[in-house]
Amino acid sequence: MAYSDKVVDHFNNPRNMGSFKKDEEGVGTGMVGAPECGDVMKLQIKVQNDTIVDAKFKTFGCGSAIASSSLATEWLKGKTIEEAQQIKNTDIVQELNLPPVKIHCSVLAEDAIKAALADYQKKADSK
Amino acid sequence: MDGHGHTHSTSDRRELQMARSMCWHCQSEVSGEYFCDRCVKVQPVSKELDYFTCFGIPRRLSIDQQKLEAKFYELSRAFHPDFYQNKSDAEQTISLGNSAMLNTAYRTLRDPIQRAEYLLDLEAGAVKDIRTTPPADLFEEILELQETLDEFRASDRASDKAAALRTQLQSERATLEQRQRDMEAQILQLFGQWDALQDRGEATEQARAERSRILKDMRVILSNRTYVKNIVNDLVATIA
């Protein structure tokens, strides 16, 4: 199976790789994984005034999982919390041209986004 | 229908769920016998046949290994391709198909983890599709471990740093293997709960809820165990 050019591009030049401190102000962290394939994905957002000003990820997994999370961080930057909620795994599938066997990678990325947003919300609410 | 009463006892009858209700060879009726009553030709077993039924044991998670083995040998004697070398192509093909199914069934039921996975596939249906989320602390552990593994892969194997990393990885391996053993113990506990519930045979709302809970718990633990096991394999391969 050949990866699409976009997957290869994200894989070779991943955007926004790295991490923020978990307890930093305005940071939401999403940790997800797929036991079936052993992938693990950490996606973080930094929020100011309801807008995501920065996003980072760290993924151990296949090329598609890395590309999905890399793309997700690109898309997240500049979006409001509400807009970020709207990102769907199918958008990622379409953008990266993922084949059926790799759709679960995009699901993982969507789960990571949701988890990061939920974590941010939880921290914001508890203040 | 059943006026003779003999079909109640399946233990000593050569009966299984078969693929067809008619002998492929002489077209006479076969009601579950795996050799045709009339022409004595071997019959193909049904693809739908579940492994527990195949071995004539109840759908429980604690099973009698000796009984399983005895039945396996008995059926092997009936189906093994060695006994069909001088038979027709059709019979050889059936013997091969039946034996392959029998071997898979035996391997699956013999191993407690595979047995549990199989039971879940049979029983769970909807539960199977529930996506499981391993606990967050497990992810943290695995993420850190993956980082260490990356560092180790990039390091010069002869250096002190690599040696230190290797020691660290060894200890993480021990932690993960302990975790895996803990999960296996939890699964065995669920075995007991499942079997007890089946033995009670209640059809109450409460029993149904209990059933779903056990199946779901089992699915979660099994999938986390696989996760940990894969990581451990990866770790072992890297530091080898």
Side-chain angles (χ1 to χ4, degrees):
Chain A
M1 186 202 66
Y3 283 122
S4 73
D5 291 345
K6 278 178 181 157
V7 171
V8 173
D9 179 39
H10 275 281
F11 181 72
N12 287 329
N13 313 292
R15 334 287 201 260
N16 314 309
M17 214 159 66
S19 55
F20 304 122
K21 286 215 177 67
K22 274 182 82 172
D23 38 16
E24 204 181 317
E25 176 82 32
V27 167
T29 304
M31 289 270 248
V32 294
E36 297 75 21
C37 55
D39 287 2
V40 55
M41 194 179 278
K42 180 164 99 172
L43 192 146
Q44 293 181 300
I45 51 171
K46 193 185 264 182
V47 183
Q48 278 167 10
N49 302 325
D50 234 29
T51 302
I52 298 167
V53 292
D54 205 356
K56 292 215 180 293
F57 82 95
K58 204 172 256 186
T59 294
F60 290 94
C62 66
S64 300
I66 292 169
S68 295
S69 38
S70 170
L71 177 68
T73 54
E74 270 205 317
W75 279 354
L76 284 168
K77 282 204 229 176
K79 282 203 164 57
T80 63
I81 298 289
E82 176 133 6
E83 287 164 349
Q85 300 275 14
Q86 309 304 318
I87 298 176
K88 291 273 169 305
N89 83 293
T90 43
D91 304 334
I92 297 171
V93 171
Q94 219 164 30
E95 175 68 20
L96 293 176
N97 225 333
L98 295 178
V101 291
K102 291 295 179 181
I103 285 176
H104 68 276
C105 301
S106 68
V107 175
L108 212 56
E110 185 189 323
D111 287 351
I113 295 174
K114 296 255 149 67
L117 290 168
D119 183 56
Y120 165 75
Q121 214 72 54
K122 207 175 92 194
K123 276 164 80 179
D125 290 349
S126 67
K127 281 223 184 83
Chain B
M1 278 294 285
D2 173 25
H4 308 289
H6 64 262
T7 49
H8 288 304
S9 150
T10 50
S11 57
D12 50 356
R13 274 184 61 86
R14 301 179 144 196
E15 252 184 32
L16 285 174
Q17 186 185 347
M18 308 313 287
R20 313 168 45 169
S21 58
M22 232 191 260
C23 171
W24 58 273
H25 185 251
C26 72
Q27 310 298 325
S28 69
E29 199 181 317
V30 285
S31 54
E33 301 90 345
Y34 44 83
F35 293 111
C36 173
D37 265 349
R38 205 162 92 195
C39 70
V40 214
K41 297 273 191 233
V42 66
Q43 304 292 313
V45 290
S46 167
K47 296 257 184 294
E48 308 292 309
L49 175 66
D50 86 73
Y51 300 163
F52 292 95
T53 314
C54 175
F55 285 97
I57 55 176
R59 213 177 265 194
R60 301 286 188 275
L61 286 167
S62 311
I63 61 171
D64 183 341
Q65 295 278 1
Q66 273 177 335
K67 202 175 158 190
L68 182 77
E69 195 183 345
K71 190 75 185 172
F72 173 64
Y73 289 140
E74 181 198 319
L75 290 171
S76 291
R77 276 192 296 275
F79 297 138
H80 199 283
D82 282 359
F83 304 123
Y84 292 84
Q85 283 180 359
N86 300 323
K87 300 280 172 69
S88 69
D89 284 353
E91 285 163 281
Q92 286 188 17
T93 305
I94 293 169
S95 139
L96 215 56
N98 286 2
S99 292
M101 180 271 176
L102 180 65
N103 287 333
T104 311
Y106 181 58
R107 266 200 308 272
T108 305
L109 291 191
R110 193 178 47 180
D111 177 68
I113 299 295
Q114 286 192 46
R115 192 190 313 142
E117 299 263 16
Y118 181 69
L119 184 102
L120 275 171
D121 284 347
L122 282 181
E123 294 280 345
V127 179
K128 197 177 145 191
D129 295 328
I130 293 178
R131 305 235 330 279
T132 58
T133 327
D137 62 325
L138 181 59
F139 285 138
E140 307 246 4
E141 220 174 294
I142 287 174
L143 203 76
E144 268 172 44
L145 174 71
Q146 294 280 22
E147 279 171 0
T148 318
L149 278 173
D150 265 9
E151 242 184 289
F152 180 74
R153 286 192 192 100
S155 69
D156 172 7
R157 294 297 156 93
S159 65
D160 290 349
K161 189 181 161 209
L165 285 172
R166 185 190 292 270
T167 314
Q168 188 188 339
L169 287 168
Q170 291 284 17
S171 97
E172 297 206 28
R173 172 186 177 181
T175 311
L176 282 172
E177 280 174 341
Q178 182 56 45
R179 208 166 177 140
Q180 191 182 329
R181 277 193 295 274
D182 290 348
M183 288 193 275
E184 279 159 11
Q186 285 171 17
I187 295 170
L188 285 181
Q189 230 172 17
L190 289 170
F191 276 23
Q193 293 177 19
W194 170 263
D195 290 354
L197 183 74
Q198 296 299 109
D199 288 343
R200 286 204 300 279
E202 295 160 348
T204 59
E205 194 58 46
Q206 201 187 349
R208 260 197 298 279
E210 171 82 351
R211 177 181 177 280
S212 309
R213 184 202 50 88
I214 296 173
L215 289 174
K216 199 176 159 206
D217 284 358
M218 209 139 66
R219 167 68 66 206
V220 170
I221 300 172
L222 280 173
S223 114
N224 290 347
R225 178 193 164 274
T226 311
Y227 199 14
V228 170
K229 197 176 147 226
N230 288 342
I231 301 288
V232 170
N233 288 346
D234 193 22
L235 194 162
V236 170
T238 305
I239 59 177

